[in-house]
Amino acid sequence: MASNSKSLLFFFIILSSSSISSKSLVNEGDHLALKSLKDQLIMQNSDSILSTWNDSINFCSWKGVTCGGGGGNRVRALKLVSQGLSGSLPAAVGNLTFLERIDLSLNWFGGTLPPSIGNLQNLNYLNLSFNALAGAIPANLTSCANLRALDLSGNQLSSSIPDGISSLSKLVHLDISNNSLDGSFPASLGNLSSLEHLFVGRNLFHGRIPVEIGRLAKLRSLNMYSNSLTGIIPASIFNLSSLVRISMTDNDLSGGFSTNSFESLRNLDYLYLGSNHLNGSIVAALSNATSLSQIDLGDNNFTGEIPFFDKFQDLTFLNLENNQLGNGRDDWRFIDSLANCTDLQVLSINMNMLTGNLPRSIGNLSTQLQFWSLGSNQISGTIPSEILNLVGLQLLTMEFNFLQGFIPRGIGNLALIAGRQEQVLLSSKSVDLRGLIACSSGGSSMHNSPSVQEKEDEEKTFFELVLSSILLQGIIPSNIAS
């Protein structure tokens, strides 16, 4: 009996020793993988946290490394954001098999993505954005079945989207924008049933938008701007009631809106469809999109009246420039409806076919209005003095019209009331228009360490009034130049 007890005790000691040894070897594998990562990368910044990685402390205490329990101290997260790191991403990263999160964004990693990333089957977050990665997206990345967020934006990736990405059923956020990816858009992406945010802008995708995108019932953001997409916008997309943002600016899309296009999009906040070949009327369709705060339909072929916006109480940005809007009668009725848009900051309706006199009700527009462009129309008559109510104006363009008469006295004082502002002009082909509204003097400056002369020039550039190629009479008020 004593002999049997000794044998069992001996067996338990051997088994325990083996288990401890196994854990030690596993942890040492993570240690070696991290050392390989450090050895193969180039540190552009001497103060990079990678320079603190040494064996004087346990690797789980290295900056940017997070370990977790369960099966020993294994590396669970790797965060080396904006550390000035360059070189190729080593294959050894695939040996950190317990990794759940990787964030190596804002560095200078080059070369191709190592296929070994496909070994990371616990990975749920991968952010390699804004590096210099090239080549194709590895097909075996689809082995990371637990991925919820994949961000490869701002690199130099090429080739097409791997079909297997559609198997990542847990994916919530997919951002592959700002690359050189090409080919047609895979219809299989419609199988990503958990997807909420899809960003594929600024690539080389061509062909039609697949109707299968309309199966993404949880989709909130759809960003496909600056590609070469053609054809109509699938009706199925307008049924995605969860959509908050749509951006398809700068493509070759055609067709128009039906009366009920936006009827289901009750949560839609941003609508960017500028710089396409869309046509037809926008009156009936937009009447159902009253939740919108930003609308860009510029640089298209829309015709007919400008719709009423009295129910768009959150509207801050409206760009309808370079269309064929206007019917030759009652072209300015929409102005009265904009009086309810008390937060409106940008209104661009230049390069249309608007005729007739400017109504005095322009004085009821938002005092928050900073940018108003109405040049290159067929506007006649005089400039109503009520324009002086728009105390926030920083840029007003009226060029290439048939205006005549006197410039309202005091128009040069508008921006003096608004206060000193930095000025940023509107670009009709811009993708992200949220950043074009002028910054206040308390915000970021457009100049680095401006000279005294530059500061004096800025003080004088409160307000820009463009009145070229119109017929005016009388003397230009002296306070415009003061």
Side-chain angles (χ1 to χ4, degrees):
M1 185 73 176
S3 175
N4 288 340
S5 297
K6 288 181 180 179
S7 297
L8 286 171
L9 181 60
F10 179 74
F11 177 75
F12 176 76
I13 292 172
I14 294 293
L15 191 63
S16 299
S17 175
S18 174
S19 175
I20 293 169
S21 175
S22 175
K23 286 184 180 181
S24 176
L25 286 172
V26 168
N27 288 345
E28 185 58 22
D30 284 5
H31 183 203
L32 292 174
L34 291 174
K35 289 184 69 175
S36 177
L37 184 69
K38 177 184 178 182
D39 292 343
Q40 294 186 49
L41 296 180
I42 301 168
M43 290 180 284
Q44 305 285 353
N45 303 334
S46 57
D47 59 348
S48 169
I49 61 176
L50 223 60
S51 62
T52 66
W53 286 16
N54 59 67
D55 291 333
S56 63
I57 55 175
N58 185 280
F59 67 87
C60 284
S61 298
W62 290 354
K63 291 182 180 178
V65 176
T66 301
C67 292
N73 279 337
R74 303 300 306 270
V75 177
R76 304 282 179 167
L78 187 60
K79 184 177 181 180
L80 300 172
V81 178
S82 191
Q83 292 298 309
L85 303 174
S86 62
S88 296
L89 198 61
V93 72
N95 295 332
L96 297 168
T97 53
F98 274 66
L99 268 177
E100 297 173 3
R101 296 178 62 87
I102 299 178
D103 191 347
L104 305 179
S105 58
L106 296 166
N107 283 291
W108 298 97
F109 292 117
T112 59
L113 279 168
S116 61
I117 283 186
N119 299 338
L120 306 179
Q121 297 186 15
N122 292 305
L123 198 64
N124 60 59
Y125 178 89
L126 176 59
N127 187 350
L128 301 175
S129 62
F130 294 98
N131 280 284
L133 296 167
I137 299 173
N140 65 346
L141 185 62
T142 59
S143 299
C144 302
N146 288 302
L147 264 180
R148 292 176 53 82
L150 174 59
D151 191 345
L152 302 176
S153 61
N155 281 285
Q156 300 166 23
L157 298 171
S158 57
S159 192
S160 56
I161 301 175
D163 285 334
I165 279 188
S166 62
S167 66
L168 299 175
S169 59
K170 297 181 181 180
L171 202 60
V172 173
H173 181 103
L174 175 60
D175 190 348
I176 51 176
S177 60
N178 292 281
N179 279 288
S180 298
L181 297 165
D182 58 16
S184 58
F185 215 73
S188 58
L189 287 185
N191 296 329
L192 296 172
S193 56
S194 299
L195 200 64
E196 296 181 12
H197 306 282
L198 177 60
F199 299 88
V200 297
R202 282 194 176 156
N203 278 290
L204 304 172
F205 295 120
H206 55 79
R208 292 176 175 268
I209 300 172
V211 295
E212 288 80 2
I213 296 297
R215 296 208 302 252
L216 303 176
K218 296 181 180 180
L219 199 63
R220 294 171 53 82
S221 302
L222 177 58
N223 292 268
M224 312 179 84
Y225 59 88
S226 297
N227 281 285
S228 298
L229 299 171
T230 57
I232 64 171
I233 302 172
S236 59
I237 287 178
F238 294 110
N239 292 326
L240 296 174
S241 59
S242 57
L243 272 176
V244 176
R245 300 187 178 199
I246 297 177
S247 178
M248 299 180 181
T249 304
D250 195 17
N251 279 286
D252 294 310
L253 299 170
S254 56
F257 304 132
S258 68
T259 302
N260 59 354
S261 284
F262 297 96
E263 199 168 63
S264 299
L265 302 180
R266 300 297 183 181
N267 298 309
L268 195 62
D269 189 15
Y270 291 6
L271 178 65
Y272 289 96
L273 298 175
S275 299
N276 280 287
H277 307 294
L278 301 172
N279 56 53
S281 172
I282 58 176
V283 174
L286 281 186
S287 66
N288 294 317
T290 56
S291 60
L292 284 169
S293 70
Q294 299 196 19
I295 303 173
D296 178 11
L297 299 177
D299 289 300
N300 279 290
N301 299 311
F302 291 116
T303 56
E305 297 181 56
I306 294 178
F308 291 169
F309 294 95
D310 48 305
K311 296 181 180 178
F312 289 69
Q313 296 184 6
D314 296 322
L315 192 64
T316 62
F317 181 95
L318 178 60
N319 178 18
L320 301 175
E321 69 182 22
N322 200 14
N323 280 285
Q324 300 170 39
L325 296 169
N327 60 9
R329 63 185 188 282
D330 300 325
D331 282 348
W332 298 99
R333 290 193 306 162
F334 75 96
I335 285 290
D336 292 341
S337 69
L338 284 173
N340 287 342
C341 306
T342 54
D343 293 321
L344 187 64
Q345 298 177 14
V346 174
L347 175 58
S348 184
I349 53 176
N350 60 301
M351 292 185 285
N352 276 289
M353 301 174 66
L354 301 172
T355 63
N357 297 351
L358 286 173
R360 294 188 179 280
S361 56
I362 65 172
N364 297 328
L365 291 174
S366 169
T367 56
Q368 303 297 314
L369 190 63
Q370 299 175 20
F371 180 105
W372 189 14
S373 175
L374 39 80
S376 297
N377 280 287
Q378 300 172 38
I379 307 169
S380 55
T382 60
I383 303 174
S385 60
E386 284 79 5
I387 201 170
L388 299 178
N389 295 345
L390 307 181
V391 295
L393 272 180
Q394 297 173 39
L395 178 62
L396 173 64
T397 70
M398 295 181 167
E399 77 281 7
F400 295 106
N401 278 292
F402 299 102
L403 293 166
Q404 51 187 307
F406 294 94
I407 300 174
R409 185 175 298 276
I411 199 169
N413 294 329
L414 286 176
L416 291 174
I417 297 171
R420 178 174 177 270
Q421 300 283 332
E422 302 285 358
Q423 184 168 307
V424 182
L425 301 184
L426 177 67
S427 167
S428 61
K429 292 186 182 292
S430 176
V431 181
D432 187 5
L433 292 166
R434 292 170 294 164
L436 296 174
I437 297 171
C439 303
S440 68
S441 57
S444 59
S445 175
M446 298 293 290
H447 305 282
N448 291 323
S449 303
S451 64
V452 173
Q453 182 61 48
E454 286 175 326
K455 287 183 178 180
E456 291 175 353
D457 290 343
E458 288 174 8
E459 292 287 351
K460 293 177 182 177
T461 313
F462 288 122
F463 176 64
E464 184 169 340
L465 174 65
V466 181
L467 295 168
S468 58
S469 298
I470 60 177
L471 180 62
L472 291 166
Q473 300 173 349
I475 300 172
I476 297 176
S478 59
N479 63 348
I480 284 182
S482 62

